[in-house]
Amino acid sequence: MRVNYVLGNWKLNNQRKDIDDWLEVFKHTAKAGVRVGVSPTLGYLDYMSGKCEGLMVGAQNVSEFDQGAFTGEVSAAMLSDLGVSFCLVGHSERRQFFQETNEKVADKVKGLLSHEIIPVICCGESQVEYETGQAKEVIGAQLSAVFSRLEVSQLSKVVVAYEPVWAIGTGLTATPEVAQEIHQFIRQFAGDFFGSVAAQSLSILYGGSVNEQSAAELFAQPDIDGGLVGGASLKPTSFMQIIEALS
Ligand code: PGA
């Protein structure tokens, strides 16, 4: 049985007052097999830690380096020290604006795993790549850089998030059929590296304009194990409905 996740990506949003207001409304109900978390910006990880029982706190980025003269960075060891449970890597906004290459993503995944933080490995094709039928090729290249450096026993300790770039923040959600086809491809691709039994243990989340209307149909697909939610996670009531859709 794989773990299901609903994770919120708050991006560059939410200061202390907003976090307090969010927590005031958000009621976390524990559900078997479902893990729920949110990722505030780095500066608020400590503030969020332990504020809501059962709600995991995650980071949006980590350095590929352990320590040293890397101004502005944060290491996996530091995230672990702050009690962080998961960390996004390779988000398309970081690939686009901060030169996060497939190799850097692979280094970050290794660092996080060595500190027992769950890497949430984001992958996905751009609009042009989607329209020209290159989605699987692009995703394959993004994931093979990471998978080629993992042991089979580590597959159940990572999460993959399929986030088509054209669906992020645009209000254009992939249809459940399109998303399922890519999720199935990702699972098969993992199977090519680690065997089909191990690939069944991999949690694969969908991200890209998930909201309370689209969540249930997406989550009903056999290879979709939950969601990575941006905009809708900023509204606690929407986020709660999305979690509800995963039951
Ligand atoms: P969105 O963002 O839900 O606002 O499209 C998702 C993400 O970037 O992780």
Side-chain angles (χ1 to χ4, degrees), residues 92-171:
S92 67
E93 287 151 16
R94 296 209 58 86
R95 290 182 191 266
Q96 186 185 349
F97 299 120
F98 303 99
Q99 292 79 44
E100 194 150 307
T101 60
N102 292 339
E103 288 63 39
K104 256 193 213 181
V105 170
D107 286 342
K108 291 179 178 199
V109 168
K110 291 299 272 186
L112 290 166
L113 284 172
S114 69
H115 291 281
E116 291 173 22
I117 296 170
I118 303 163
V120 179
I121 306 154
C122 304
C123 62
E125 79 287 357
S126 68
Q127 172 116 38
V128 174
E129 290 158 348
Y130 175 67
E131 284 165 1
T132 52
Q134 296 176 78
K136 290 178 185 170
E137 196 186 315
V138 169
I139 294 163
Q142 290 171 337
L143 291 179
S144 69
V146 177
F147 286 171
S148 59
R149 292 181 53 195
L150 289 185
E151 314 274 328
V152 62
S153 62
Q154 293 175 310
L155 197 63
S156 60
K157 301 188 171 89
V158 306
V159 169
V160 169
Y162 167 56
E163 298 203 302
V165 180
W166 48 270
I168 296 176
T170 58

Side-chain angles (χ1 to χ4, degrees), residues 5-23:
Y5 292 85
V6 179
L7 303 177
N9 175 9
W10 284 355
K11 308 190 182 186
L12 196 53
N13 296 292
N14 282 351
Q15 300 186 14
R16 269 185 290 197
K17 169 81 169 72
D18 310 306
I19 293 172
D20 290 345
D21 292 348
W22 194 95
L23 287 167

Side-chain angles (χ1 to χ4, degrees), residues 56-96:
M56 298 192 296
V57 177
Q60 298 175 16
N61 183 36
V62 64
S63 172
E64 65 270 38
F65 303 110
D66 291 336
Q67 58 173 48
F70 302 104
T71 303
E73 292 292 271
V74 65
S75 71
M78 290 165 182
L79 294 181
S80 167
D81 192 34
L82 288 170
V84 160
S85 304
F86 68 95
C87 179
L88 309 184
V89 285
H91 190 282
S92 67
E93 287 151 16
R94 296 209 58 86
R95 290 182 191 266
Q96 186 185 349

